[in-house]
Amino acid sequence: MKESARLKDSGGETPVFPKSPTGIEGLDEITGGGLPEGRPTLVCGKAGCGKTLFGVQFLVNGAVKYGEPGVFISFEERVPDLAKNVRSLGYDLLDLQKEKLVALDHVVVDRGTIEETGEYDLEGLFIRLGMAVESIGAKRVVLDTIESLFSGLQNEGVLRSELVRLFSWIKEKELTAVVTGESGDGMFTRHGLEEYVSDCVIFLDHRVDHQVSTRRLRVVKYRGSTHGTNEYPFLIGEDGISVLPITSLGLHHEALRDRVSTGVERLDAMLGGKGYYRGSSVLISGSAGSGKTSLAAAFANACCRRGEKCLYFAFEESPDQIVRNMQSIGIDLSPHLASGLLNIHAARPALYGLEMHLALMLKMIRDYSPSAVIVDPISNLQAVGTTDDSKAMITRIIDSIKVNHITSVMTELEYEQGMRGSSTRISSLIDTWLMLADIEEPGERNKGLYVLKSRGMAHSNQIRELILSDKGISLSDVYLGPGSLLTGTSRFLQEAKDREERRQKEEELRTRKLQIENRVKALNAQIESLNAEAEAGRSELSRLAEREKEQKGVDLEERQQVADRRKADPGENSRDMEKKVHHDEF
C-alpha cells in the first residue's frame, strides 16, 4: 500500500468501523465496540454452550439499552418455552413483546415436507422475517439455530446458495444479526459453510476437564476490524453472559497512601510501623499449620474493629470452624458476624469451575462492598483448573479488587519448604508478600515470619518467631547466636542462660564499683586529715615568726636603755643592730 493511500498518514481521519454494542460485559471490549453493524455474526458451538442465551441477551440489551428493537426467530423452541427458559435470568421477553421492543416467532421446519416437494428455498422466511422487522422497526435479528433451517437439505450447492442469499438479505436490510449454529466435528458448524459467509464468527466452548466444566469464548473472525484473538472465559450467571478478559481492567487504578493495621502490632512495626497499604494485595505463603489463616483472621478482626466490612472467602473450613479455631488464639470473630461487618462465604473449590467461582466472588464483592477481602487459601483453586487458569482468574480478582480500593489478603499453601516462587505464580501481582517458615529444632517445630517484599515502604528484613497462644498472635525476636538461630524452647533456655550471665556480670560490676567507692571515701578522709595537719603546722609557724619578731624588738629596746643610762654615744654595734632589726622587719 502506498503511503498516500493511508488515510491517516495523508491527513485524513481513519474511518470508524460501525459496530453495534452487545451490552455483554467484556465482549464489547474484546470486539472493540460490539458486533458489525448491519451485518450477520455467526455464534457457534456445541449444545448447551450458551448460543441461544447469547442471542437473547444481544436482542434484549439492544432493545432496552440502545433503543434498537429486535426480532427473534426460533427454529427449535416454541415462544412460550423460550420466554420461560430465559425468564430465570431476568429477561421478560413477553413483556418486551407487548411493548413492541422485540418480536418473537417460532418457525417450524418439517423435514418430511421438504423431502416430498423436492424444492426448498428461504423466500417464505424472508417474507415472514421482513414483516416482523417492519412491525416494530427492528434493527437487530436473531436466528436460532440455522441447522434446523437446513436440516432437510443434502445438496451442498443449494445449501451454499441459500446461505449466501440469507446473509445477503440481512445486509441489504442493514440488520445487525446473530445467527447461531451447531458446531461439527473439527468444524465451527456442521456444514462448514456459515463461517465463510459471515462477517464475524464467535465460537463458544463448553468443556469438561477432570469433572469440572469451564466455558470459553473466542472471536474467530471479524472482517474489517481488529479484535482480541485469545480464548476468554465467560460466565453464565444471574445477569446472563459476561466475558472476563484478563486485560479488562488494566493498570490504571489509584495507589492509596493510607495504611491499615495487620492486626498484629509487631507485624505493623515490621511494615514501617503502619501496616499494609489500603487497597493493596497481600499474599501470605506457608506450609500447612504455619499460621496463614490466623494472620488472615487477625487482619479481618482489625478491619471489623475499625468498623469496616470484611468479606472472607474460605475454601477449607466452615464459618463456624473458623470462628472456633480463632477463639483458641484470642480472636473472637463472632461479634463481627453478628453485626454484619464480617461475611464468611465457605465452599469447596470443586463445587464450581473457576469461572463460576470468579463470577460468584465478583458478584459478592460488588453486592457487599467490603473494605477488605480475604481468600483462604487461594492455592486451592488450582484443584479445579490448571495453574495458568487459576493465575488468570486470580489476576482478574486482584485487578477488580484494586480498582475498588479494597485491601486483599490471600493465603497460599506452600508445598515445598524454602521455595522462592509462589505456587500459584502470582507473586509478581502481589504488593506485600509474607513468608511463614517452619523452623525445626531437636524435639520441636516452630514458626518463623519474614517480609519477603512490600512495595512502596521500608520494611524489616528480620525473621521473627510467630507465636500463637490463647493471648493472641505475637512475634518474638529469634535468638541469633554465633552460627545459630534458635526458636521455641531452645530460644527460651538460651535467653534464660543469657539473662543469668548478664545478672552475674552486673553483680560483679556492682561489687567492684562499691569497693572502689569505699576506697575513694577512705582516701578522701585521709586527704582531709593531712590537710588539717598541714593547716595546723602553718599556724604554728606563723605564731613562732611573730614571737621571734617581738623578741628582737625587746632586745633592741633594752640595749637602747642601757646606752642611755651610760650617756654614751650609740656605738657602731648599736646602729648595726638597729639596721638589722629594721631589715628583719622588712
Side-chain angles (χ1 to χ4, degrees):
M1 179 183 294
K2 295 181 179 179
E3 289 297 320
S4 58
R6 293 175 59 87
L7 294 175
K8 190 173 182 179
D9 293 344
S10 62
E13 295 184 359
T14 303
V16 178
F17 190 89
K19 297 182 179 181
S20 293
T22 64
I24 297 175
E25 183 181 356
L27 179 61
D28 291 341
E29 180 183 347
I30 295 172
T31 56
L35 305 182
E37 184 178 298
R39 300 184 183 188
T41 294
L42 174 66
V43 178
C44 54
K46 292 186 179 298
C49 65
K51 300 184 297 296
T52 301
L53 178 60
F54 185 105
V56 170
Q57 197 165 348
F58 164 74
L59 207 68
V60 172
N61 287 339
V64 175
K65 295 182 178 179
Y66 308 113
E68 296 183 357
V71 175
F72 193 102
I73 302 294
S74 172
F75 301 109
E76 291 183 341
E77 293 181 274
R78 297 184 306 116
V79 170
D81 295 336
L82 176 66
K84 186 181 297 182
N85 291 341
V86 299
R87 190 178 183 84
S88 61
L89 298 172
Y91 301 117
D92 194 337
L93 294 179
L94 299 180
D95 277 356
L96 292 174
Q97 189 175 32
K98 291 178 182 176
E99 298 174 8
K100 295 189 177 300
L101 293 175
V102 300
L104 307 174
D105 196 2
H106 177 214
V107 175
V108 179
V109 178
D110 189 339
R111 176 180 294 184
T113 304
I114 297 171
E115 290 177 346
E116 286 177 359
T117 59
E119 296 179 357
Y120 183 68
D121 61 39
L122 300 179
E123 193 60 35
L125 174 64
F126 297 155
I127 295 173
R128 195 163 175 172
L129 182 57
M131 292 177 62
V133 169
E134 291 179 2
S135 66
I136 60 172
K139 300 293 184 184
R140 302 187 177 201
V141 167
V142 175
L143 302 178
D144 181 48
T145 65
I146 199 168
E147 274 71 28
S148 299
L149 195 60
F150 296 101
S151 60
L153 296 178
Q154 300 298 324
N155 189 319
E156 185 174 324
V158 175
L159 268 176
R160 182 179 295 276
S161 174
E162 291 303 304
L163 278 175
V164 172
R165 276 219 312 146
L166 173 61
F167 283 70
S168 297
W169 185 88
I170 290 173
K171 289 183 179 180
E172 289 174 3
K173 298 295 182 181
E174 298 183 345
L175 296 171
T176 306
V178 167
V179 180
T180 65
E182 294 283 343
S183 61
D185 294 334
M187 298 185 295
F188 292 114
T189 58
R190 289 182 181 176
H191 306 291
L193 301 176
E194 296 91 325
E195 56 264 40
Y196 295 104
V197 294
S198 301
D199 291 89
C200 177
V201 176
I202 297 176
F203 181 68
L204 306 181
D205 184 25
H206 186 195
R207 68 187 70 164
V208 178
D209 294 324
H210 299 94
Q211 301 179 341
V212 177
S213 67
T214 55
R215 299 178 188 273
R216 294 287 189 275
L217 177 149
R218 183 161 69 95
V219 180
V220 180
K221 167 184 175 183
Y222 200 130
R223 285 175 179 159
S225 174
T226 59
H227 58 86
T229 57
N230 295 334
E231 194 174 51
Y232 304 95
F234 75 95
L235 319 166
I236 297 179
E238 296 178 356
D239 300 325
I241 292 176
S242 59
V243 185
L244 297 169
I246 199 168
T247 56
S248 61
L249 298 172
L251 291 173
H252 308 295
H253 53 270
E254 181 185 4
L256 301 181
R257 269 67 175 176
D258 299 345
R259 304 283 280 273
V260 291
S261 173
T262 64
V264 181
E265 184 178 355
R266 289 208 69 185
L267 181 55
D268 289 345
M270 294 178 71
L271 296 169
K274 299 178 181 177
Y276 309 130
Y277 276 118
R278 185 182 293 278
S280 64
S281 54
V282 180
L283 179 66
I284 304 174
S285 299
S287 60
S290 57
K292 302 181 296 298
T293 299
S294 300
L295 287 174
F299 176 69
N301 185 44
C303 178
C304 295
R305 294 180 68 175
R306 292 193 299 270
E308 300 173 357
K309 292 196 289 187
C310 178
L311 183 56
Y312 194 127
F313 294 103
F315 292 121
E316 283 187 338
E317 299 174 275
S318 68
D320 191 53
Q321 193 176 3
I322 292 173
V323 170
R324 183 203 63 186
N325 295 344
M326 292 305 105
Q327 285 175 339
S328 67
I329 58 171
I331 300 175
D332 191 0
L333 298 176
S334 55
H336 307 316
L337 284 171
S339 67
L341 288 174
L342 178 62
N343 184 357
I344 300 179
H345 173 76
R348 286 289 183 192
L351 185 61
Y352 308 116
L354 284 175
E355 289 74 24
M356 184 57 73
H357 277 297
L358 178 61
L360 290 175
M361 292 172 75
L362 294 180
K363 184 177 186 303
M364 291 189 70
I365 292 171
R366 185 170 55 250
D367 295 344
Y368 190 61
S369 299
S371 297
V373 167
I374 293 173
V375 184
D376 178 38
I378 202 163
S379 48
N380 274 23
L381 293 174
Q382 288 180 304
V384 290
T386 65
T387 301
D388 290 337
D389 290 341
S390 60
K391 180 182 178 183
M393 172 192 170
I394 296 168
T395 301
R396 292 177 175 90
I397 292 176
I398 291 175
D399 285 348
S400 178
I401 286 175
K402 280 192 170 184
V403 166
N404 293 288
H405 299 158
I406 299 171
T407 309
S408 61
V409 172
M410 292 169 280
T411 66
E412 177 191 53
L413 179 61
E414 185 183 78
Y415 297 98
E416 183 179 348
Q417 173 76 10
M419 60 186 294
R420 283 291 178 269
S422 163
S423 62
T424 51
R425 293 170 32 188
I426 61 170
S427 57
S428 60
L429 306 174
I430 296 301
D431 297 313
T432 298
W433 190 4
L434 305 180
M435 293 292 292
L436 299 175
D438 290 330
I439 303 174
E440 295 185 2
E441 298 177 9
E444 62 183 58
R445 169 177 169 269
N446 298 296
K447 307 176 184 66
L449 180 149
Y450 60 95
V451 182
L452 188 60
K453 76 169 184 178
S454 192
R455 291 170 175 158
M457 68 175 73
H459 59 83
S460 171
N461 64 349
Q462 300 294 305
I463 298 176
R464 299 282 189 270
E465 183 180 354
L466 178 65
I467 300 174
L468 307 179
S469 68
D470 56 358
K471 297 179 181 177
I473 301 175
S474 61
L475 292 170
S476 296
D477 295 331
V478 298
Y479 180 84
L480 294 174
S484 64
L485 186 152
L486 302 178
T487 59
T489 304
S490 299
R491 174 181 55 78
F492 177 79
L493 295 175
Q494 185 62 44
E495 288 177 346
K497 179 181 178 182
D498 291 346
R499 283 195 298 271
E500 178 60 22
E501 290 178 354
R502 286 196 299 271
R503 190 193 64 77
Q504 292 178 359
K505 289 181 179 178
E506 290 173 356
E507 184 64 26
E508 291 176 0
L509 288 174
R510 279 196 297 271
T511 302
R512 180 62 178 161
K513 182 180 178 181
L514 183 61
Q515 291 173 347
I516 294 174
E517 287 176 349
N518 291 336
R519 177 62 178 163
V520 170
K521 288 180 180 179
L523 290 174
N524 287 335
Q526 189 174 0
I527 291 172
E528 186 175 356
S529 174
L530 291 174
N531 285 335
E533 186 176 351
E535 183 63 24
R538 284 192 293 271
S539 298
E540 182 64 21
L541 288 174
S542 178
R543 286 194 300 272
L544 291 175
E546 187 66 26
R547 289 181 57 184
E548 183 180 12
K549 180 182 176 181
E550 291 176 354
Q551 185 62 43
K552 287 179 180 178
V554 171
D555 291 345
L556 181 59
E557 184 176 358
E558 287 177 349
R559 286 178 184 173
Q560 186 62 39
Q561 290 175 358
V562 171
D564 292 344
R565 195 174 295 123
R566 289 178 178 175
K567 305 299 184 181
D569 295 334
E572 202 57 41
N573 291 336
S574 298
R575 288 194 295 271
D576 293 342
M577 181 62 73
E578 186 178 359
K579 289 179 181 179
K580 187 175 184 305
V581 172
H582 181 72
H583 179 269
D584 291 342
E585 290 178 351
F586 293 95

